[in-house]
Amino acid sequence: MSPILFLDVDGVLNTHDGWAAGHDGHDSLDPGPVARLNALCHRTGCRIVVSSSWRGGPYRGPKGCRAILRRLGVTGPFHRDWRTRDWRPADGWGWECKVRGKQIADWLAAHPATAYAIVDDDSDMLPEQMPRYVKTHFKDGLQDVHIERLIALLAFDAPAVVERHRQELRDGAAAAKAAWDRRGGVPVNARFAARVRAK
Ligand SMILES: [Mg+2]
């Protein structure tokens, strides 16, 4: 099974130094970090899952940012389910979740992969994910020192951590179901609408 690389874009492939050299993040990305990412994918056989905010929104193109990243030079393979989501399946409806670590945990809980690494210049990851997290800087993004750590991380499994994510998802789903039952099966937003109507 291929290891998974959770990929941020701004601060990893799109950098301050890249801008200074004329790579504005729209027509081109910082070529050094992109080449390092491509080599990493080739060497480790990892699949990319986009955890960046680039993943969302129709303004990123009809095929999503995956097609854009391809056009901008990313050659590594994407996972079939190639992006995280900003809502938690365990909550049953569109409760927004802005913590990137939770979005990653939810993705892992729903897929069989147990070897993964996270590369991001922001650090809103869960405590148990920190050993799998490689922090870059917006100035120059993905560097050789990061690649070395990522190669090491992608080479071994972390089944205990992933099982913990899965258990949390099951617990969350059970809690959401219990709350639903307590409400007599009435959606939260319907109750809210009824309260508004009653006023
Ligand atoms: Mg970033």
Side-chain angles (χ1 to χ4, degrees), residues 88 101-102 104-106 108 116 118 125-133 158 160-169:
R88 302 201 73 183
K102 288 192 173 182
I104 289 170
D106 285 344
L108 284 166
Y116 74 95
I118 302 166
M125 306 307 157
L126 304 184
E128 65 268 32
Q129 294 169 341
M130 293 318 253
R132 293 258 152 186
Y133 162 61
V161 171
V162 175
E163 179 51 40
R164 195 160 138 191
H165 292 330
R166 289 183 184 136
Q167 187 58 48
E168 283 169 1
L169 194 73

Side-chain angles (χ1 to χ4, degrees), residues 8-11 100 120-122:
D8 182 31
V9 178
D10 293 331
R100 203 161 280 183
D120 203 306
D121 64 327
D122 286 322

